[in-house]
Amino acid sequence: MTKRPLVLLDVDGVLNPARRPTMRHRRHDVTLDGRTYRVLLNARHGPKLLALAAGAEADLVWATTWEEHANAEIAPRLGLPPLPVIHVTGDLGTRTGEHFKTRHVAEYVAGRPFVWFDDSLRPPDWQYLMDHPGVGEFLLVEVDPQTGLTDGHLARAREWLTGRALGLDDAGAASPEPAP
């Protein structure tokens, strides 16, 4: 019996790039706890992420400091259903230079294969995940925060997930390489 893979999603820098609105990225003003944030979202990302998950028989999961707010403010604007949330904001320290979310991700995945889209992943994150006993196969997809998620990132994830499912020899290798 295989475990369904996970597709982990960050919001800021991935689904919400740090740039001006474009024809594809529409501006939304989101108020959380009395503070208003400008969020740029591409409505096409929702269907593309759903297609990626369906094609790979994977589960989409939020791995973002937005936590539950992602389900209330981001998911509906992208056409996504409410997703499970990895709670990442309780402990902001690092131990070996990894991103503060990495330890929470390692605990959450519980041996399930996963692809993680984030704009803050570096070699210490890859090393931490490689060394963590509860982590199996994974692919880290580094997203440029100025550009955000692209079709190239999605294609890379799809290729890895499909290769895993087909049992290809090199598909299970964890990768520290950023996506093109």
Side-chain angles (χ1 to χ4, degrees), residues 105-125:
V105 164
E107 294 301 321
Y108 184 89
V109 298
R112 291 171 71 178
F114 67 95
V115 171
W116 184 6
F117 295 110
D118 204 295
D119 64 316
S120 298
L121 300 172
R122 305 289 183 264
D125 301 292

Side-chain angles (χ1 to χ4, degrees), residues 4 23 27 32 34 37 45 69 73-74 87-88 91 101 114 132-133 136 146 156:
R4 283 175 63 95
M23 294 295 289
R27 179 182 169 154
L32 302 175
Y37 298 90
H45 281 151
H69 294 296
E73 302 295 342
I74 306 301
H87 295 280
V88 298
D91 173 16
K101 291 190 279 187
F114 67 95
H132 195 280
Q146 293 299 314
R156 183 163 180 235

Side-chain angles (χ1 to χ4, degrees), residues 72-178:
E73 302 295 342
I74 306 301
R77 290 178 167 99
L78 296 179
L80 295 173
L83 304 176
V85 174
I86 300 173
H87 295 280
V88 298
T89 58
D91 173 16
L92 301 181
T94 68
R95 292 179 177 78
T96 60
E98 78 280 359
H99 191 278
F100 70 88
K101 291 190 279 187
T102 303
R103 287 186 320 282
H104 301 283
V105 164
E107 294 301 321
Y108 184 89
V109 298
R112 291 171 71 178
F114 67 95
V115 171
W116 184 6
F117 295 110
D118 204 295
D119 64 316
S120 298
L121 300 172
R122 305 289 183 264
D125 301 292
W126 181 83
Q127 191 62 56
Y128 184 91
L129 294 167
M130 287 295 294
D131 294 343
H132 195 280
V135 174
E137 299 172 296
F138 64 90
L139 175 69
L140 303 181
V141 181
E142 174 75 20
V143 176
D144 180 339
Q146 293 299 314
T147 306
L149 187 68
T150 66
D151 287 345
H153 298 123
L154 294 167
R156 183 163 180 235
R158 183 176 295 105
E159 180 180 310
W160 185 82
L161 289 163
T162 302
R164 260 196 77 269
L166 295 174
L168 300 178
D169 289 343
D170 62 347
S175 173
E177 302 296 323

Side-chain angles (χ1 to χ4, degrees), residues 37-49:
Y37 298 90
R38 180 194 79 170
V39 180
L40 300 176
L41 298 173
N42 181 342
R44 294 180 183 134
H45 281 151
K48 289 178 181 185
L49 288 165

